[in-house]
Amino acid sequence: MKLKAVDITLAGLFAALMAIGANITAFIVIGGVPITLTTFFCILSGLLLGSRLGAISMTVYALVGLAGAPVLAQFSGGPSSVISPTFGFVVSYIIVAYLVGKITEKRATKANFVFASIVGMAINYVFGTTWMYFAYQLWFGAPEGFSYAVAWLWMVAPLPKDIILTILAGGLAYRIYGKVYKSRNLSSTKTA
C-alpha cells in the first residue's frame, strides 16, 4: 500500500487525537481503568480513514507510546507499557479501527456507521477487559477478591460515556464522510 502525503498527514492527525483523548481527563481512574476519549477517536479513525489507514494511525499511536512518548493514558509510555493491565485497550484500537473501517467500506449508510461504531466499542471492551483480567491474574498482582466479574464491574463507570460517544462518533463520521464524498464527486464531474 503506497501512502500519499495526505494519508500520512491524516494518520498522524488521528494518532495525535488519540494522544489528546488518552490524557484529556488526565488522572481520572475508576477501579483500574483511566477515563479517556480514546474509544471515540479510535472509532472515528476507522470510520473516516477506512480500514487500512485507520489501523495504520492506531499502530502509529501505539508505537509512539511504546517508544517512550507520554501519549498513552495518564501520560504514560515506554516499552514497559506492554505489561500494563490496560495495554490490551491500546492493542484493541488497531483491531477496532480496522474492523470499523471494513464494515463501513461495504455500505456507507448512517445505520451502518452507527452499527460499526457499536461493534467497535464492544470489541474494545471485550479485548481490553480480558487483557486487564489476565494481566492482573498473571503478572500485575491482582487486588484482593479480584475476578473477571470485578474487571467488568470496573468497566461500568466509563460505559455510559462510551455508549453516548460511540453513537455520536457514528453519526458525526457519517455526516463528515457524506460531505467529503459528495464534494469529491462534484469536483470529479466538473473536471470530466
Short mmCIF file of all heavy atoms in Angstrom, two decimals, residues 13-59:
data_model
loop_
_atom_site.label_atom_id
_atom_site.label_comp_id
_atom_site.label_asym_id
_atom_site.label_seq_id
_atom_site.Cartn_x
_atom_site.Cartn_y
_atom_site.Cartn_z
N LEU A 13 -2.57 12.84 12.24
CA LEU A 13 -3.60 13.62 12.92
C LEU A 13 -4.39 12.75 13.91
O LEU A 13 -4.59 13.13 15.06
CB LEU A 13 -4.55 14.25 11.91
CG LEU A 13 -5.79 14.93 12.49
CD1 LEU A 13 -5.41 16.17 13.27
CD2 LEU A 13 -6.77 15.27 11.39
N PHE A 14 -4.80 11.57 13.46
CA PHE A 14 -5.56 10.70 14.35
C PHE A 14 -4.70 10.11 15.46
O PHE A 14 -5.19 9.89 16.57
CB PHE A 14 -6.32 9.63 13.57
CG PHE A 14 -7.66 10.12 13.12
CD1 PHE A 14 -7.81 10.69 11.88
CD2 PHE A 14 -8.76 10.05 13.97
CE1 PHE A 14 -9.05 11.18 11.47
CE2 PHE A 14 -9.99 10.54 13.58
CZ PHE A 14 -10.14 11.12 12.32
N ALA A 15 -3.43 9.88 15.21
CA ALA A 15 -2.53 9.44 16.28
C ALA A 15 -2.42 10.55 17.34
O ALA A 15 -2.45 10.28 18.54
CB ALA A 15 -1.15 9.09 15.72
N ALA A 16 -2.35 11.81 16.88
CA ALA A 16 -2.29 12.94 17.82
C ALA A 16 -3.61 13.10 18.58
O ALA A 16 -3.61 13.36 19.78
CB ALA A 16 -1.97 14.23 17.06
N LEU A 17 -4.74 12.91 17.89
CA LEU A 17 -6.04 12.99 18.56
C LEU A 17 -6.16 11.90 19.64
O LEU A 17 -6.73 12.13 20.70
CB LEU A 17 -7.18 12.86 17.56
CG LEU A 17 -7.43 14.08 16.67
CD1 LEU A 17 -8.43 13.75 15.57
CD2 LEU A 17 -7.89 15.27 17.50
N MET A 18 -5.61 10.72 19.36
CA MET A 18 -5.61 9.65 20.36
C MET A 18 -4.80 10.06 21.59
O MET A 18 -5.22 9.81 22.72
CB MET A 18 -5.04 8.36 19.76
CG MET A 18 -5.98 7.66 18.83
SD MET A 18 -7.45 7.01 19.63
CE MET A 18 -6.78 5.63 20.53
N ALA A 19 -3.65 10.69 21.37
CA ALA A 19 -2.83 11.13 22.50
C ALA A 19 -3.57 12.16 23.34
O ALA A 19 -3.52 12.11 24.58
CB ALA A 19 -1.51 11.70 21.98
N ILE A 20 -4.28 13.06 22.69
CA ILE A 20 -5.07 14.06 23.41
C ILE A 20 -6.22 13.37 24.14
O ILE A 20 -6.46 13.61 25.32
CB ILE A 20 -5.60 15.14 22.43
CG1 ILE A 20 -4.43 15.96 21.88
CG2 ILE A 20 -6.63 16.03 23.13
CD1 ILE A 20 -4.80 16.81 20.68
N GLY A 21 -6.92 12.49 23.44
CA GLY A 21 -8.05 11.78 24.04
C GLY A 21 -7.66 10.90 25.21
O GLY A 21 -8.43 10.71 26.15
N ALA A 22 -6.45 10.35 25.16
CA ALA A 22 -5.98 9.49 26.25
C ALA A 22 -5.70 10.27 27.51
O ALA A 22 -5.76 9.73 28.61
CB ALA A 22 -4.71 8.74 25.81
N ASN A 23 -5.40 11.55 27.36
CA ASN A 23 -4.96 12.33 28.51
C ASN A 23 -5.81 13.55 28.82
O ASN A 23 -5.48 14.31 29.73
CB ASN A 23 -3.50 12.74 28.31
CG ASN A 23 -2.61 11.53 28.33
OD1 ASN A 23 -2.51 10.84 29.33
ND2 ASN A 23 -1.98 11.22 27.20
N ILE A 24 -6.90 13.73 28.10
CA ILE A 24 -7.73 14.91 28.30
C ILE A 24 -8.35 14.94 29.70
O ILE A 24 -8.58 15.99 30.27
CB ILE A 24 -8.80 15.03 27.20
CG1 ILE A 24 -9.29 16.45 27.11
CG2 ILE A 24 -9.92 14.04 27.39
CD1 ILE A 24 -9.93 16.80 25.79
N THR A 25 -8.60 13.78 30.26
CA THR A 25 -9.13 13.72 31.62
C THR A 25 -8.02 13.46 32.63
O THR A 25 -8.31 13.22 33.81
CB THR A 25 -10.21 12.62 31.73
OG1 THR A 25 -9.65 11.39 31.28
CG2 THR A 25 -11.43 12.96 30.92
N ALA A 26 -6.80 13.51 32.17
CA ALA A 26 -5.59 13.37 32.99
C ALA A 26 -5.60 12.13 33.88
O ALA A 26 -5.34 11.05 33.41
CB ALA A 26 -5.29 14.64 33.75
N PHE A 27 -5.91 12.29 35.13
CA PHE A 27 -5.72 11.18 36.05
C PHE A 27 -7.02 10.71 36.71
O PHE A 27 -7.01 10.28 37.85
CB PHE A 27 -4.69 11.57 37.12
CG PHE A 27 -3.33 11.75 36.52
CD1 PHE A 27 -2.86 13.00 36.17
CD2 PHE A 27 -2.53 10.65 36.26
CE1 PHE A 27 -1.60 13.16 35.60
CE2 PHE A 27 -1.27 10.80 35.68
CZ PHE A 27 -0.81 12.06 35.36
N ILE A 28 -8.12 10.76 35.97
CA ILE A 28 -9.37 10.21 36.50
C ILE A 28 -9.36 8.71 36.24
O ILE A 28 -9.37 8.26 35.10
CB ILE A 28 -10.59 10.87 35.84
CG1 ILE A 28 -10.60 12.38 36.10
CG2 ILE A 28 -11.88 10.22 36.35
CD1 ILE A 28 -11.69 13.12 35.37
N VAL A 29 -9.29 7.94 37.30
CA VAL A 29 -9.23 6.48 37.21
C VAL A 29 -10.31 5.90 38.12
O VAL A 29 -10.39 6.28 39.29
CB VAL A 29 -7.84 5.94 37.63
CG1 VAL A 29 -7.81 4.42 37.58
CG2 VAL A 29 -6.75 6.54 36.77
N ILE A 30 -11.12 5.01 37.57
CA ILE A 30 -12.13 4.33 38.39
C ILE A 30 -11.79 2.84 38.34
O ILE A 30 -11.71 2.26 37.26
CB ILE A 30 -13.55 4.61 37.87
CG1 ILE A 30 -13.84 6.10 37.98
CG2 ILE A 30 -14.57 3.79 38.65
CD1 ILE A 30 -15.14 6.55 37.42
N GLY A 31 -11.60 2.25 39.51
CA GLY A 31 -11.08 0.89 39.56
C GLY A 31 -9.66 0.94 39.03
O GLY A 31 -8.85 1.73 39.46
N GLY A 32 -9.35 0.18 38.04
CA GLY A 32 -8.04 0.24 37.41
C GLY A 32 -8.10 0.85 36.02
O GLY A 32 -7.18 0.72 35.24
N VAL A 33 -9.23 1.53 35.71
CA VAL A 33 -9.47 1.97 34.34
C VAL A 33 -9.44 3.49 34.23
O VAL A 33 -10.28 4.18 34.82
CB VAL A 33 -10.84 1.45 33.83
CG1 VAL A 33 -11.07 1.84 32.39
CG2 VAL A 33 -10.93 -0.06 34.01
N PRO A 34 -8.49 4.07 33.47
CA PRO A 34 -8.50 5.51 33.23
C PRO A 34 -9.70 5.89 32.36
O PRO A 34 -10.06 5.17 31.43
CB PRO A 34 -7.19 5.76 32.47
CG PRO A 34 -6.39 4.52 32.59
CD PRO A 34 -7.34 3.41 32.86
N ILE A 35 -10.32 7.02 32.66
CA ILE A 35 -11.46 7.50 31.89
C ILE A 35 -10.90 8.40 30.78
O ILE A 35 -10.33 9.45 31.05
CB ILE A 35 -12.45 8.28 32.78
CG1 ILE A 35 -12.87 7.44 33.98
CG2 ILE A 35 -13.66 8.74 31.97
CD1 ILE A 35 -13.53 6.11 33.64
N THR A 36 -11.05 7.95 29.54
CA THR A 36 -10.45 8.65 28.40
C THR A 36 -11.46 8.82 27.26
O THR A 36 -12.59 8.36 27.35
CB THR A 36 -9.25 7.85 27.85
OG1 THR A 36 -9.74 6.65 27.24
CG2 THR A 36 -8.24 7.52 28.94
N LEU A 37 -11.01 9.45 26.19
CA LEU A 37 -11.81 9.59 24.97
C LEU A 37 -11.22 8.77 23.82
O LEU A 37 -11.52 9.00 22.66
CB LEU A 37 -11.89 11.07 24.55
CG LEU A 37 -12.55 12.01 25.56
CD1 LEU A 37 -12.50 13.44 25.07
CD2 LEU A 37 -13.98 11.59 25.83
N THR A 38 -10.37 7.81 24.14
CA THR A 38 -9.67 7.05 23.10
C THR A 38 -10.60 6.18 22.27
O THR A 38 -10.39 6.05 21.06
CB THR A 38 -8.55 6.20 23.71
OG1 THR A 38 -9.09 5.44 24.81
CG2 THR A 38 -7.40 7.05 24.18
N THR A 39 -11.61 5.59 22.88
CA THR A 39 -12.54 4.76 22.10
C THR A 39 -13.21 5.60 21.03
O THR A 39 -13.35 5.17 19.88
CB THR A 39 -13.59 4.11 23.03
OG1 THR A 39 -12.90 3.33 24.02
CG2 THR A 39 -14.53 3.21 22.26
N PHE A 40 -13.61 6.81 21.38
CA PHE A 40 -14.24 7.74 20.44
C PHE A 40 -13.33 8.02 19.25
O PHE A 40 -13.73 7.88 18.09
CB PHE A 40 -14.60 9.03 21.18
CG PHE A 40 -15.12 10.13 20.31
CD1 PHE A 40 -16.42 10.09 19.81
CD2 PHE A 40 -14.33 11.23 20.00
CE1 PHE A 40 -16.92 11.11 19.01
CE2 PHE A 40 -14.82 12.26 19.21
CZ PHE A 40 -16.12 12.20 18.71
N PHE A 41 -12.08 8.42 19.52
CA PHE A 41 -11.17 8.78 18.43
C PHE A 41 -10.74 7.55 17.62
O PHE A 41 -10.53 7.64 16.41
CB PHE A 41 -9.96 9.54 18.97
CG PHE A 41 -10.29 10.95 19.38
CD1 PHE A 41 -10.12 11.36 20.68
CD2 PHE A 41 -10.80 11.84 18.46
CE1 PHE A 41 -10.44 12.66 21.06
CE2 PHE A 41 -11.12 13.15 18.82
CZ PHE A 41 -10.94 13.55 20.13
N CYS A 42 -10.61 6.42 18.28
CA CYS A 42 -10.26 5.18 17.58
C CYS A 42 -11.35 4.82 16.57
O CYS A 42 -11.06 4.52 15.41
CB CYS A 42 -10.08 4.06 18.59
SG CYS A 42 -10.01 2.43 17.87
N ILE A 43 -12.59 4.86 17.01
CA ILE A 43 -13.71 4.55 16.12
C ILE A 43 -13.78 5.56 14.98
O ILE A 43 -13.97 5.19 13.82
CB ILE A 43 -15.03 4.48 16.92
CG1 ILE A 43 -15.02 3.22 17.80
CG2 ILE A 43 -16.25 4.51 16.01
CD1 ILE A 43 -16.13 3.15 18.82
N LEU A 44 -13.61 6.84 15.29
CA LEU A 44 -13.61 7.86 14.24
C LEU A 44 -12.53 7.60 13.20
O LEU A 44 -12.75 7.79 12.00
CB LEU A 44 -13.40 9.26 14.83
CG LEU A 44 -14.61 10.04 15.28
CD1 LEU A 44 -14.19 11.41 15.80
CD2 LEU A 44 -15.64 10.18 14.18
N SER A 45 -11.36 7.15 13.64
CA SER A 45 -10.28 6.89 12.68
C SER A 45 -10.67 5.81 11.69
O SER A 45 -10.43 5.94 10.49
CB SER A 45 -8.98 6.53 13.40
OG SER A 45 -9.01 5.21 13.89
N GLY A 46 -11.28 4.73 12.17
CA GLY A 46 -11.73 3.68 11.26
C GLY A 46 -12.83 4.13 10.34
O GLY A 46 -12.84 3.81 9.15
N LEU A 47 -13.78 4.90 10.88
CA LEU A 47 -14.91 5.36 10.07
C LEU A 47 -14.48 6.35 8.99
O LEU A 47 -14.97 6.29 7.86
CB LEU A 47 -15.97 6.02 10.97
CG LEU A 47 -16.68 5.13 11.98
CD1 LEU A 47 -17.58 5.97 12.88
CD2 LEU A 47 -17.48 4.04 11.28
N LEU A 48 -13.59 7.26 9.34
CA LEU A 48 -13.22 8.32 8.40
C LEU A 48 -12.02 7.99 7.52
O LEU A 48 -11.93 8.46 6.39
CB LEU A 48 -12.96 9.62 9.16
CG LEU A 48 -14.18 10.22 9.86
CD1 LEU A 48 -13.78 11.44 10.68
CD2 LEU A 48 -15.25 10.60 8.83
N LEU A 49 -11.10 7.19 8.03
CA LEU A 49 -9.89 6.88 7.26
C LEU A 49 -10.00 5.55 6.52
O LEU A 49 -9.20 5.28 5.63
CB LEU A 49 -8.66 6.85 8.17
CG LEU A 49 -8.35 8.12 8.97
CD1 LEU A 49 -7.09 7.94 9.79
CD2 LEU A 49 -8.25 9.33 8.06
N GLY A 50 -10.94 4.72 6.92
CA GLY A 50 -11.05 3.39 6.32
C GLY A 50 -10.23 2.39 7.11
O GLY A 50 -9.51 2.73 8.05
N SER A 51 -10.36 1.14 6.71
CA SER A 51 -9.77 0.06 7.50
C SER A 51 -8.24 0.13 7.56
O SER A 51 -7.66 0.10 8.66
CB SER A 51 -10.20 -1.30 6.95
OG SER A 51 -9.83 -1.44 5.59
N ARG A 52 -7.59 0.23 6.44
CA ARG A 52 -6.12 0.17 6.46
C ARG A 52 -5.49 1.42 7.06
O ARG A 52 -4.62 1.31 7.93
CB ARG A 52 -5.58 -0.08 5.05
CG ARG A 52 -5.84 -1.51 4.61
CD ARG A 52 -5.07 -1.88 3.40
NE ARG A 52 -5.73 -1.33 2.22
CZ ARG A 52 -5.27 -1.41 1.00
NH1 ARG A 52 -4.14 -2.01 0.76
NH2 ARG A 52 -5.93 -0.89 -0.01
N LEU A 53 -5.93 2.59 6.62
CA LEU A 53 -5.33 3.82 7.13
C LEU A 53 -5.71 4.05 8.59
O LEU A 53 -4.90 4.53 9.38
CB LEU A 53 -5.73 5.02 6.27
CG LEU A 53 -4.96 6.30 6.50
CD1 LEU A 53 -3.45 6.08 6.36
CD2 LEU A 53 -5.42 7.38 5.54
N GLY A 54 -6.93 3.67 8.98
CA GLY A 54 -7.32 3.76 10.38
C GLY A 54 -6.45 2.89 11.25
O GLY A 54 -5.98 3.31 12.32
N ALA A 55 -6.21 1.65 10.81
CA ALA A 55 -5.34 0.74 11.56
C ALA A 55 -3.90 1.26 11.60
O ALA A 55 -3.22 1.14 12.64
CB ALA A 55 -5.38 -0.66 10.95
N ILE A 56 -3.45 1.85 10.51
CA ILE A 56 -2.10 2.43 10.49
C ILE A 56 -1.99 3.56 11.51
O ILE A 56 -1.01 3.65 12.26
CB ILE A 56 -1.72 2.92 9.07
CG1 ILE A 56 -1.47 1.71 8.16
CG2 ILE A 56 -0.51 3.84 9.11
CD1 ILE A 56 -1.32 2.07 6.69
N SER A 57 -3.01 4.42 11.57
CA SER A 57 -2.95 5.54 12.52
C SER A 57 -2.93 5.05 13.96
O SER A 57 -2.21 5.59 14.79
CB SER A 57 -4.12 6.51 12.29
OG SER A 57 -5.35 5.93 12.68
N MET A 58 -3.67 3.99 14.25
CA MET A 58 -3.67 3.45 15.62
C MET A 58 -2.36 2.72 15.92
O MET A 58 -1.88 2.74 17.06
CB MET A 58 -4.86 2.50 15.83
CG MET A 58 -6.22 3.17 15.74
SD MET A 58 -6.46 4.51 16.93
CE MET A 58 -6.19 5.97 15.91
N THR A 59 -1.76 2.11 14.91
CA THR A 59 -0.45 1.47 15.08
C THR A 59 0.61 2.53 15.37
O THR A 59 1.47 2.33 16.24
CB THR A 59 -0.08 0.66 13.82
OG1 THR A 59 -1.10 -0.32 13.59
CG2 THR A 59 1.26 -0.03 13.98
#
